[in-house]
C-alpha cells in the first residue's frame, strides 16, 4: 500500500512478509534471484523510486510452494526464500517415525507378515510397511501425532513395497487390481488414512499417492487429508502419459480433500546429461493450478548451470501460474545470461525429440 511519504508491506500469514518484500522488489525494480549466490542476483540500481498511490494485492497461485534443493548452503536457503517459496504442509515417508520397535514387541500383529514370516521392523531400515488393517493401528498413529503440536503431519507410507500379506490385508485389498502396471493398494491405504483423519479432524495429514497407492481409492477421502500425487511429469512429452496423469489429477481434486498437492522430480544433479525439461514445467504447473491443485513439491537437487532456468521458472509459476512462461524465460536469458543470451536460449529451448516436427 503506497500513500503520501510512506509504503506499507503486509502479508498473511505474518511470517510470509519476506515473500511479500521479494515480490515488491521484483515488481518495482525488476529484482531477480536466478541462482544462489552473488552471481545469480540481479538487482538493478535505482537513484529514485516513484510509486503510484493505492494498494496492490497478490494471492499466490499455490499455498504451498516447495522446491527441494538438496543442500543446506546459506546461498541456497536465500535463493529459496527470495523466490518466495513456502512449505505449508509437512509430508514424507513417515511410518518409521510413527512406529518404534517396542510398539511391535507389544503388538506383534502390527508388524507385516511377509512370505509367511512376521517381520521385526526396525525404524532405520524403512523397507517395510505396518499392517494397516490390524486393530489399533490407526488409533496408535493418531495418538503419536496428537502429541505433536503441528498444523500438519506426515502420514506417508515408507518407501517400500513390503506390505503385510495376511488374509485380512488380502481381503482389504480385494481382487487383484493394477494401476500404472503396479498392484493397486490405494483402497486399503486410504481407508487407514481416513481412519486417522477422523480421529484428528483439526490436523492436515499429508499422504502420498505413490507407487502402489497412486490411484484414487474409489471412495471419498476426509477433508483434512492432503494427498500428494507423485509423478515425473517430464513424461508429458508422451501425450498419452500426459492425458492419463491429468485425468488422475482431476480425480484426486474431486476426491473430497480440501487441499491436493503434486509431487514432481526435476533432477538435477544425479544425471550425467542435461535435463532442462522446461516443457514439463511450462505445461504441468499451470495445468495443476487450473485443475484445483494448491500444493506443490519437487525434488530438484540442481546442477545450477544446467537446471537454473527450470528451478527459477517453476518458482515464478508457483507464485503466478497465469504468467507467460516465454516472457519469464525472456527475462532469464536477458538479465542472467546477458551477452550470451542468444546461444543459451538456443541451448535450453529445444523440445524433446519426440515433439519436434
Amino acid at each position: 500500500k503506497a500513500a503520501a511519504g510512506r509504503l506499507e508491506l503486509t502479508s498473511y500469514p505474518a511470517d510470509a512478509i519476506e515473500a511479500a518484500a521479494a515480490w515488491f522488489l521484483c515488481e518495482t525494480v525488476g529484482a531477480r534471484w536466478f541462482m544462489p549466490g552473488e552471481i545469480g542476483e540481479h538487482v538493478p540500481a535505482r537513484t529514485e523510486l516513484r510509486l503510484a498511490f493505492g494498494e496492490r494485492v497478490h494471492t499466490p497461485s499455490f499455498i504451498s510452494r516447495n522446491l527441494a534443493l538438496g543442500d543446506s548452503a546459506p546461498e541456497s536457503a536465500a535463493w529459496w526464500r527470495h523466490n518466495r517459496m513456502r512449505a505449508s504442509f509437512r509430508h514424507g515417508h513417515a511410518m518409521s517415525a510413527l512406529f518404534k520397535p517396542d510398539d511391535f514387541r507389544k503388538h506383534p500383529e502390527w508388524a507385516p507378515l511377509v512370505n509367511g514370516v512376521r517381520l521385526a521392523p526396525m525404524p532405520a531400515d524403512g523397507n517395510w510397511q505396518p499392517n494397516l488393517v490390524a486393530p489399533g493401528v490407526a488409533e496408535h498413529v493418531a495418538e503419536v501425532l496428537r502429541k505433536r503440536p503441528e498444523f500438519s503431519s506426515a502420514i506417508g507410507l515408507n518407501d517400500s513395497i513390503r506390505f503385510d500379506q495376511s488374509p485380512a490385508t488380502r481381503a482389504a485389498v480385494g481382487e487383484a487390481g493394477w494401476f500404472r502396471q503396479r498392484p493397486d493398494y490405494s483402497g486399503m491405504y486410504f481407508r487407514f488414512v481416513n481412519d486417522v483423519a477422523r480421529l484428528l479432524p483439526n490436523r492436515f495429514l499429508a499422504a502420498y499417492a505413490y507407487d502402489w497407492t497412486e490411484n484414487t481409492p474409489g471412495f471419498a477421502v476426509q477433508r483434512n487429508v492432503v494427498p500428494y500425487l507423485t509423478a515425473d511429469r517430464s513424461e508429458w512429452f508422451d501425450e498419452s502419459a500426459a492425458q492419463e496423469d491429468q485425468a488422475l489429477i482431476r480425480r484426486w481434486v474431486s476426491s473430497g480433500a480440501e487441499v491436493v498437492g503434486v509431487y514432481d522430480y526435476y533432477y538435477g544433479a544425479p544425471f550425467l546429461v542435461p535435463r532442462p525439461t522446461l516443457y514439463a514445467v511450462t505445461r504441468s504447473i499451470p495445468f495443476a493450478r487450473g485443475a484445483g491443485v494448491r500444493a506443490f513439491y519437487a525434488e530438484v537437487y540442481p546442477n545450477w548451470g544446467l537446471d537454473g532456468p527450470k528451478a527459477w521458472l517453476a518458482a515464478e509459476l508457483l507464485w503466478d501460474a497465469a504468467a507467460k512462461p516465454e516472457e519469464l524465460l525472456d527475462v532469464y536469458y536477458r538479465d542472467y545470461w546477458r551477452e550470451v543470451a542468444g546461444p543459451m536460449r538456443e541451448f535450453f529451448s529445444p523440445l524433446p525429440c519426440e515433439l519436434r516436427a
Side-chain angles (χ1 to χ4, degrees):
K1 182 187 296 182
R6 71 186 182 91
L7 169 73
E8 180 181 333
L9 287 176
T10 60
S11 68
Y12 179 81
D15 62 2
I17 192 62
E18 189 170 9
W23 173 63
F24 169 77
L25 292 172
C26 178
E27 293 292 298
T28 56
V29 302
R32 301 286 191 276
W33 293 271
F34 296 116
M35 295 188 188
E38 185 178 350
I39 193 172
E41 184 175 282
H42 176 79
V43 183
R46 297 286 291 271
T47 57
E48 64 178 18
L49 182 62
R50 297 189 180 190
L51 302 175
F53 288 157
E55 182 175 288
R56 285 198 61 188
V57 177
H58 179 76
T59 301
S61 294
F62 292 78
I63 60 176
S64 187
R65 310 171 297 279
N66 195 359
L67 300 175
L69 305 183
D71 68 71
S72 57
E75 296 83 1
S76 296
W79 182 95
W80 193 89
R81 297 193 312 272
H82 293 162
N83 282 288
R84 307 175 297 280
M85 296 290 97
R86 182 175 182 82
S88 300
F89 301 102
R90 185 186 300 271
H91 61 90
H93 297 294
M95 294 299 141
S96 290
L98 295 171
F99 292 88
K100 304 302 180 188
D102 195 48
D103 298 325
F104 296 117
R105 283 191 286 271
K106 293 177 180 177
H107 302 277
E109 71 278 9
W110 291 0
L113 186 70
V114 178
N115 296 328
V117 177
R118 186 73 67 182
L119 298 185
M122 297 300 293
D125 172 15
N127 187 19
W128 54 272
Q129 307 292 2
N131 180 358
L132 300 177
V133 303
V137 166
E139 290 77 7
H140 165 78
V141 170
E143 183 59 28
V144 171
L145 294 179
R146 195 174 285 119
K147 296 174 183 178
R148 302 176 184 175
E150 301 172 330
F151 167 77
S152 69
S153 300
I155 195 171
L157 291 172
N158 287 338
D159 197 358
S160 170
I161 58 173
R162 296 180 80 186
F163 285 89
D164 177 68
Q165 299 168 356
S166 70
T169 291
R170 293 183 185 278
V173 171
E175 294 184 12
W178 296 80
F179 183 74
R180 291 180 171 172
Q181 300 181 330
R182 301 184 184 95
D184 186 356
Y185 277 39
S186 289
M188 182 193 67
Y189 171 53
F190 283 99
R191 286 189 196 96
F192 157 78
V193 171
N194 271 354
D195 288 343
V196 179
R198 292 187 190 98
L199 295 169
L200 298 171
N202 299 316
R203 180 82 58 91
F204 283 106
L205 300 176
Y208 284 156
Y210 171 74
D211 207 354
W212 288 17
T213 63
E214 285 185 300
N215 201 7
T216 45
F219 50 80
V221 299
Q222 292 293 298
R223 174 202 63 82
N224 54 322
V225 174
V226 183
Y228 272 84
L229 287 56
T230 63
D232 182 351
R233 293 176 181 92
S234 69
E235 295 179 0
W236 282 20
F237 71 82
D238 181 329
E239 191 57 33
S240 63
Q243 291 181 9
E244 181 203 48
D245 197 43
Q246 290 167 7
L248 179 63
I249 289 171
R250 291 191 185 100
R251 292 202 304 275
W252 272 111
V253 169
S254 300
S255 67
E258 183 176 323
V259 179
V260 172
V262 293
Y263 189 126
D264 214 320
Y265 302 88
Y266 281 1
Y267 300 112
F271 285 83
L272 300 178
V273 296
R275 193 173 181 266
T277 60
L278 291 172
Y279 66 93
V281 177
T282 295
R283 186 178 180 190
S284 64
I285 292 179
F287 172 85
R289 175 61 172 81
V293 172
R294 293 296 178 268
F296 183 92
Y297 180 86
E299 298 179 23
V300 184
Y301 307 159
N303 175 338
W304 281 104
L306 298 175
D307 301 306
K310 173 172 54 181
W312 183 81
L313 178 62
E316 291 292 315
L317 291 174
L318 292 172
W319 183 256
D320 182 5
K324 292 181 170 56
E326 62 275 14
E327 293 180 2
L328 292 170
L329 289 172
D330 283 344
V331 171
Y332 194 98
Y333 298 131
R334 181 193 70 219
D335 292 341
Y336 181 71
W337 293 112
R338 301 180 188 178
E339 63 270 18
V340 293
M344 296 314 299
R345 180 192 300 274
E346 184 178 353
F347 176 80
F348 283 107
S349 291
L351 296 171
C353 58
E354 290 84 352
L355 292 183
R356 294 178 190 165

